[in-house]
Amino acid sequence: MHDSSTTAGAPAGPRPSRWWHQTRAQRATLVVIVALGAVLSSWNLARGGDSSFYAAAARSMSESLPAFLSGSFDPGATVTLDKLAGFAVPQAVSIHLFGMSTASLALPQVVEGAVTTLAVSVVALRWLGARAGLVAAALAASTPIFVSMFGHPMEDGLLTMSLAVALVWWQRAALTRTWSPLLLAGLFVGVGFQAKMLQAWMVLPALVVATVVATAGPGRRWRRAAGHVAALVGAAVVASLSWSVVLGLLPTGDHPYFDGSTDDSVFAMVFGYNGVDRFLPGLWPGAVGALGAAVGHAGTHVADE
């Protein structure tokens, strides 16, 4: 069977395994694992330990469309969070539907945990079979750090889910030798970027190398490998930067002030304040020197004592 997205002259690989092609008992076991994982994550949902700062932003986004679209801290959309607010989008939707509470804030992370468990199971199913898929799902659903992370309103839930789903689509591209799933892999890396910015890009070098290895193969089809890498990285970059570019191109009066920057620059906030400034303070012009200010404050405190 050939995929319409297969590069000319390169036959498509076999179709990856799917859970609905497995036995009824195996499918039922997977459902039970995912359900039990959700129960573990939501056991103390009402005591999710939310940050009052980000909880207030999610509430503002739930009450105001301008705040929702711009990721603003306040309903009037005058200033953004000090980071991209993609992680708060599911939280804002949940608050809008169920009202403001810690449980409403944490509920989206429970869903993200269930999706992550399914994604892990799919990856293992395709490579090692149904039993491995069930073991992988059980381990993911019961690992303490997963249970804690997906039971709290925090950015890491959406980041982890997005990268797990990105791996599912990358794996599909590798197994079928087609390029179109790489667009979806890149898209989900971009969703992870909206959740926690540069941390999502940390997987790209590994995916790029793996794409070259999987695509070029013994025939050394480097041109095809370069095209696949371009599809993956291009989709990831576009999905990652689209929101920032759109808001950054708006006139100053038409967007909220970008917190984390000293010059109202979204890129100073994303790549400076939340990026290189954490390691090399002052390297990115216009970024608030979070680390440098903290070190200076600590030094002053020690000197006073």
Side-chain angles (χ1 to χ4, degrees), residues 54 83 87 91 112 153-160 195-196:
Y54 297 128
K83 53 178 55 68
F87 73 94
Q91 296 174 1
E112 292 159 9
M154 56 196 299
E155 308 98 305
D156 303 79
L158 182 59
L159 171 69
T160 304
K196 209 163 183 181

Side-chain angles (χ1 to χ4, degrees), residues 29-43 117 138 141-142 147:
T29 302
L30 178 64
V31 170
V32 170
I33 290 172
V34 174
L36 289 177
V39 170
L40 286 174
S41 297
S42 58
W43 193 261
T117 300
S142 61
V147 173

Side-chain angles (χ1 to χ4, degrees), residues 7 9-10 177 209 211-227:
T7 305
R177 304 192 188 106
V209 171
T211 299
V212 172
V213 172
T215 307
R220 300 291 182 182
R221 301 182 181 90
W222 295 112
R223 182 179 298 179
R224 183 158 63 96

Side-chain angles (χ1 to χ4, degrees), residues 8-301:
R15 293 184 59 165
S17 300
R18 291 170 167 80
W19 275 113
W20 54 83
H21 293 158
Q22 309 309 310
T23 67
R24 182 176 299 178
Q26 289 168 337
R27 285 178 286 158
T29 302
L30 178 64
V31 170
V32 170
I33 290 172
V34 174
L36 289 177
V39 170
L40 286 174
S41 297
S42 58
W43 193 261
N44 291 315
L45 201 61
R47 299 191 295 275
D50 57 303
S51 164
S52 58
F53 178 72
Y54 297 128
R59 182 169 187 170
S60 294
M61 292 168 65
S62 74
E63 297 173 348
S64 164
L65 184 60
F68 182 84
L69 295 176
S70 60
S72 296
F73 174 76
D74 60 312
T78 60
V79 62
T80 69
L81 285 173
D82 60 352
K83 53 178 55 68
L84 293 182
F87 73 94
V89 168
Q91 296 174 1
V93 172
S94 180
I95 293 171
H96 184 76
L97 294 175
F98 305 113
M100 181 64 187
S101 68
T102 301
S104 296
L105 281 166
L107 180 60
Q109 282 69 233
V110 175
V111 177
E112 292 159 9
V115 174
T116 302
T117 300
L118 283 171
V120 168
S121 76
V122 170
V123 172
L125 166 71
R126 289 172 172 174
W127 270 335
L128 298 172
R131 289 184 181 180
L134 293 175
V135 171
L139 291 174
S142 61
T143 299
I145 187 63
F146 266 45
V147 173
S148 176
M149 176 176 62
F150 290 119
H152 290 74
M154 56 196 299
E155 308 98 305
D156 303 79
L158 182 59
L159 171 69
T160 304
M161 183 207 78
S162 300
L163 297 185
V165 175
L167 180 57
V168 169
W169 285 107
W170 176 88
Q171 183 192 42
R172 180 175 179 82
L175 293 175
T176 61
R177 304 192 188 106
T178 57
W179 65 269
S180 58
L182 293 172
L183 298 178
L184 289 170
L187 170 64
F188 278 99
V189 170
V191 173
F193 187 93
Q194 300 299 333
K196 209 163 183 181
M197 295 164 292
L198 290 173
Q199 289 195 33
W201 282 6
M202 294 178 70
V203 304
L204 278 177
L207 291 181
V208 167
V209 171
T211 299
V212 172
V213 172
T215 307
R220 300 291 182 182
R221 301 182 181 90
W222 295 112
R223 182 179 298 179
R224 183 158 63 96
H228 285 212
V229 168
L232 170 67
V233 175
V237 171
V238 170
S240 297
L241 301 183
S242 55
W243 182 90
S244 300
V245 170
V246 170
L247 260 68
L249 289 176
L250 292 175
T252 301
D254 293 336
H255 67 73
Y257 186 87
F258 295 111
D259 193 13
S261 74
T262 61
D263 57 359
D264 195 21
S265 168
V266 64
F267 296 105
M269 178 257 280
V270 172
F271 294 104
Y273 177 70
N274 289 291
V276 296
D277 190 75
R278 304 300 173 103
F279 308 98
L280 298 170
L283 182 64
W284 194 285
V288 172
L291 184 58
V295 171
H297 175 75
T300 302
H301 180 70

